[in-house]
Every structure is written in C-alpha cells, then in structure tokens.
Amino acid sequence: MDKSTDSQLYVRIRDKDKVALEVIYDRYERLVYSFAYRMTQNAQMAEDTVQEVFIELWREHSPYTEDKGKFSSWLLTMTRNTSLDALRKKGKQQEVGLLEKDTEQMRAPIDQLPEQMLEWKEKGSILRKSLERLKVEQRTIVELFYFHGLSQESISTKLDIPLGTVKSRIRLALQHLRKHLEKERGISPNEPSDV
Amino acid sequence: MNRQMCDQLVDYFNGQLSEIDNSSFEKHVATCEECQIELAEWKALTDDLPLVSGSMTPPEGMKERVLNAVFEQEQITPITPVALKDSITSIKKKKVFPWLPALAAVLMLSVGANIFLASIVKNQQQDIVAQSEVVDQLLAYVNLSPVVGEASGTASIVKHGDETRVVVQANSLPKLSNDEVYQVWLIDENGPIRAGTFKSDSQEGAVVFTLPEGIDQDWTQVAVSHEPNEESKTPLGNVLMASNF
C-alpha cells in the first residue's frame, strides 16, 4: 500500500500522475461514496457524485492547498457541494427523506480497507451516538441544514418556525452536538476539540 | 455589524446565495468578527459530520467506471459539438476595433449592405480565417454588459453562406493565468452551449467562431465567462459579460 501522505499524492496528481490519483481514489472511494449516498440517498446519484469529485480533482478546478485544512475535509466539502448541486439540478433537494438514524455499514474485510478507515469508523460511531442524543427537533435541523443543504427560508417553511430563528436554532443544535461529542469522547467541555 | 448580512450565513454556508450576494457576504465577513467566529465554528463542528455515513460498499465496477471517466477527460478534445477549435482565433495584442459596433448597427439597418463583418476583422487580424467573397447577413447584434468585473463588448451572429459565425469583441477582460480561457456561450431554453474558447494577452480584442451546420436556433442570450481551462462543458467560472438577444 502506498504510504505517501494525501498532500504528497495531491502534488503528484497535479503533475498528472495517474497512479497517485488511483491511490487517492482507493483511499477515499468508500468514504466519498458513502457520504454522497447519505446526501442523495440514491445509488446512481452517489456514483455520479464520486465521478464528478474525482474529475474535479484531476482537472484542478478547485485546487487544494494545505491552508484549506485537511485534504480529507476538503475532499468531503467538495463531495457535499457536488451532491447538493446534483440534488438541486434534479429538483430533489426537498424530496430527500429524513434519516431517523445512521447505521454502521462496514461490510468489507478489515484488511481491504484504507488505514484511516479505523479512525473514521471510530469517529463516525461517536458522531452517530452524539446525533442520537440530540432532541428530535435539533437532529432534524442538523439534517435539513447540513445533509439537505436547504436555504434558511426552506428550513423555516419546512419546520414552520420563524425565519429569524433558523440561524440561532442551527447554532444551538451544533453546540449541543459538540457537548454530546465531548461527553462521548470522555473529555471535559473546556478542553480543545479537533472535531 | 450589519445584522441583515449576518443573517445570510446559513445560505452562504449552503451555497444558496447568488454570485453577487455571495461576494457581498464575503466582503462583509472580512470585516465582521462575529461572522468569522461563527463560520469557523460551523466549519469545525461539521468537519467530521460526513463520517456518520459509515462505510458503504460501492456498486460493482464503480472504480473502473469512475477512473475511465476521469482519464477520458484527457482524451476529449476541448471542442464540444458547437465549438470548432480551428476557427478559434487568438487575439494577441490586437487593438479593439471601436468601429465594429457602429458597423454592425449600420449592417442591421441596411439589408442591402451585406458586408461581411468577419472579413473586415480579417483585414485587421491576419489569423482570422474568413472567406471574403461570400456575402454575409447580420442575424443579431448586441452590446455585452459587465456581470462580474468590468469586461464589456459586443457580440454578433453572422450568416456567412451556409455557415453561422459568432463575432465577439471585448475589452477590459480580466487577466488569464495558467490554463484559464474565456469562453463564449450561446444560451437557449435548454441551457448554455459553448460557442468557442479564446485567449488574449492584452485583455481585449475581437474573435470569430464558426458554428457547425444546423446550429442556428433561436438563441435568447449570449455570455462570456472566465473558465479554469478550455474543457468546461458548462460555465464553471464567473460570467464576465452577457446580453439578451
């Protein structure tokens, strides 16, 4: 397995090294696909999103630099934006159902998975537990805001709450999520968090 | 602090703002500490949220399909069915032709004039390929208004024998870097179609594109965008100038 860091591979991708792109693809295929599927809840749209993301990566339409944060976060932000674009184009943004609960879907033998998968799996599990601890209305607003990418106005209409309160409710839900995360990870709320 | 601007944070985060509102919001964030803190907090808090998706097994053969599509991009010529690379003219350090709009206006008024617009451009620009012996008909002429930045110009659609040509004149274009190009789009009810790509070292000039046969539908708009490279099949960069026909 290629031990190069993501940043090293990205530099090679910029030089049109197909092998480097394949290594990054293998490293992130599951994560990008799973997230795209979570966003679109449609296998074909998820695959199209994966394709679009890697085409963008290859063509450098949105160049990555280390000051943009971790490569994985940048790639996932691109995945989120691409999924939302696909949903908007198909007019499906309002149609995606609310997920009651996220479930672990690890199926492949562990030795076939990228190294980081264990770390992602652990973080994912903590996040799922933390999300479940949110009140239903807070979980719903996180869902509509983050996973459906809805506008402030659509959230206000969908939840029948005043437009002016949407932002503060999102903020509150995210803050509660952080508190639950900190509890799950067994650290005091005052300690710095990398989540 | 501008409360109205601060309230756009949700829509900014979700990419729901128009290009103009987006850039106004970014200007606002640069000076609003509260929004800077809030944005950083939201980004940090949502950074790992994708991980709740777990790890699904992708459909069989996805890797091959995706990588083929990615690398196929390399093979595709930068010309869509509408753009002919051979007819794209580079407009290096040429002067803008201030007489072009006036000429086009005259053409529009005088059916009998039948002057071939592009052939006159050719006289000024050695690298424009044109057949001056064919009589031309001006189908449309518009002033292009700035959308993002200060670029402006004119666009004409000229029937040249059996061919349809698009003549674009532009000035105050933004500078290009790396592979960036300007692209001309013709838009109808089905969306934009790429008419052609051009570069200019002097941020100004005129260019002529020949459209393939059968492409002379009723365009509703023309636009020029600033693209990351000549492969954009739909406008990905800023629209610099545009006009309705």
Side-chain angles (χ1 to χ4, degrees), chain A residues 100-134:
Chain A
E100 287 285 307
K101 191 180 170 187
D102 286 287
T103 49
E104 178 53 75
Q105 306 184 51
M106 186 83 71
R107 296 273 184 276
I110 206 80
D111 61 347
Q112 290 175 18
L113 296 170
E115 270 179 71
Q116 298 97 321
M117 194 55 92
L118 279 179
E119 183 197 332
W120 294 336
K121 192 183 166 202
E122 197 184 322
K123 279 188 175 177
S125 158
I126 291 174
L127 274 158
R128 279 191 291 277
K129 280 186 200 156
S130 307
L131 272 173
E132 277 168 39
R133 294 202 174 170
L134 288 179

Side-chain angles (χ1 to χ4, degrees), chain A residues 48-59:
Chain A
D48 291 347
T49 298
V50 174
Q51 184 166 309
E52 192 61 35
V53 165
F54 282 92
I55 285 175
E56 291 285 302
L57 183 59
W58 185 243
R59 285 156 70 182

Side-chain angles (χ1 to χ4, degrees), chain B residues 43-147:
Chain B
K43 277 182 185 161
L45 284 168
T46 54
D47 213 22
D48 282 345
L49 266 184
L51 300 178
V52 302
S53 326
S55 173
M56 291 177 69
T57 304
E60 204 171 320
M62 184 177 92
K63 178 178 173 181
E64 198 185 350
R65 288 191 295 278
V66 168
L67 291 185
N68 279 345
V70 170
F71 299 135
E72 254 174 32
Q73 296 291 320
E74 291 287 278
Q75 316 298 325
I76 295 171
T77 59
I79 298 129
T80 60
V82 182
L84 294 178
K85 194 168 187 179
D86 291 343
S87 68
I88 294 168
T89 52
S90 162
I91 44 174
K92 286 176 189 165
K93 301 200 170 158
K94 290 282 174 5
K95 292 195 171 175
V96 185
F97 312 106
W99 39 264
L100 208 61
L103 174 67
V106 169
L107 281 171
M108 213 155 41
L109 292 171
S110 166
V111 180
N114 275 336
I115 301 166
F116 177 34
L117 198 56
S119 73
I120 294 166
V121 177
K122 182 193 173 191
N123 292 336
Q124 307 291 325
Q125 294 178 255
Q126 293 173 351
D127 48 3
I128 289 181
V129 182
Q131 299 293 318
S132 58
E133 65 273 17
V134 181
V135 173
D136 282 73
Q137 186 191 356
L138 184 68
L139 301 178
Y141 170 78
V142 290
N143 283 312
L144 295 166
S145 312
V147 178

Side-chain angles (χ1 to χ4, degrees), chain A residues 113-168:
Chain A
L113 296 170
E115 270 179 71
Q116 298 97 321
M117 194 55 92
L118 279 179
E119 183 197 332
W120 294 336
K121 192 183 166 202
E122 197 184 322
K123 279 188 175 177
S125 158
I126 291 174
L127 274 158
R128 279 191 291 277
K129 280 186 200 156
S130 307
L131 272 173
E132 277 168 39
R133 294 202 174 170
L134 288 179
K135 287 179 189 160
V136 176
E137 55 268 30
Q138 288 184 339
R139 202 161 64 220
T140 307
I141 208 161
V142 170
E143 182 76 23
L144 294 178
F145 159 66
Y146 185 76
F147 290 101
H148 293 206
L150 293 187
S151 67
Q152 201 160 212
E153 200 176 346
S154 302
I155 296 174
S156 147
T157 311
K158 212 154 186 147
L159 298 182
D160 197 20
I161 55 173
L163 186 64
T165 66
V166 174
K167 190 171 119 183
S168 57

